[in-house]
């Protein structure tokens, strides 16, 4: 049986991306806001993100090939999916949870300025 980390590593980013958008839109937020969060966290731009989606890159490659994880990403703390982010040791799983947390904050109506840790 595969561990959670192994499953997440191999999961296609493109398969989860529509769920991020749906979660945001369900709460009156937009795809553009989701993309802004992804761009901020990873350093990808619109063109690069589109290539990632088309090539169905897995989460491991999505984060390993990200132009630059934002310096303020370490300020993302709290609990997501039952795990305290700051206690997660695996770097890819931690980055996935960073993104999950930011999308969750967007869906909960938190101001973009605070989501982006400005």
């Amino acid at each position: 049986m595969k561990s959670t980390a192994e499953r997440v590593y191999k999961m296609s980013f493109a398969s989860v991306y529509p769920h991020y958008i749906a979660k945001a839109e369900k709460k009156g937020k937009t795809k553009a806001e989701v993309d802004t969060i992804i761009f901020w966290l990873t350093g990808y731009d619109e063109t690069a993100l589109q290539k990632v989606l088309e090539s169905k890159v897995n989460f491991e490659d999505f984060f390993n090939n990200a132009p630059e994880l934002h310096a303020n990403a370490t300020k993302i703390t709290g609990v997501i999916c039952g795990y305290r982010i700051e206690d997660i040791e695996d770097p890819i799983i931690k980055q996935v949870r960073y993104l999950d947390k930011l999308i969750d904050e967007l869906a909960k109506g938190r101001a973009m300025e605070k989501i982006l840790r400005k």
Side-chain angles (χ1 to χ4, degrees), residues 2-109:
K2 290 184 178 181
S3 71
T4 301
E6 289 174 313
R7 287 192 306 269
V8 170
Y9 270 59
K10 300 305 175 198
M11 188 180 303
S12 160
F13 178 79
S15 70
V16 178
Y17 179 72
H19 297 284
Y20 291 145
I21 294 168
K23 183 173 189 172
E25 288 178 343
K26 187 175 178 183
K27 298 293 185 167
K29 300 300 180 179
T30 67
K31 174 187 176 294
E33 289 171 303
V34 170
D35 288 349
T36 296
I37 289 169
I38 293 168
F39 301 157
W40 176 86
L41 180 63
T42 64
Y44 284 110
D45 61 19
E46 192 171 334
T47 302
L49 179 60
Q50 190 57 44
K51 286 180 184 174
V52 163
L53 295 171
E54 289 169 2
S55 62
K56 297 189 177 8
V57 168
N58 62 40
F59 270 99
E60 181 177 20
D61 291 339
F62 175 77
F63 281 108
N64 281 338
N65 297 325
E68 183 175 8
L69 194 67
H70 198 283
N72 286 345
T74 57
K75 293 182 179 181
I76 303 166
T77 60
V79 176
I80 188 76
C81 301
Y83 296 96
R84 180 153 291 285
I85 295 172
E86 50 272 37
D87 294 340
I88 298 171
E89 293 182 22
D90 184 292
I92 300 297
I93 300 301
K94 183 175 259 187
Q95 292 165 3
V96 170
R97 295 303 181 206
Y98 284 160
L99 183 54
D100 291 344
K101 181 71 172 177
L102 297 176
I103 299 300
D104 196 48
E105 290 176 357
L106 176 67
K108 289 181 178 177

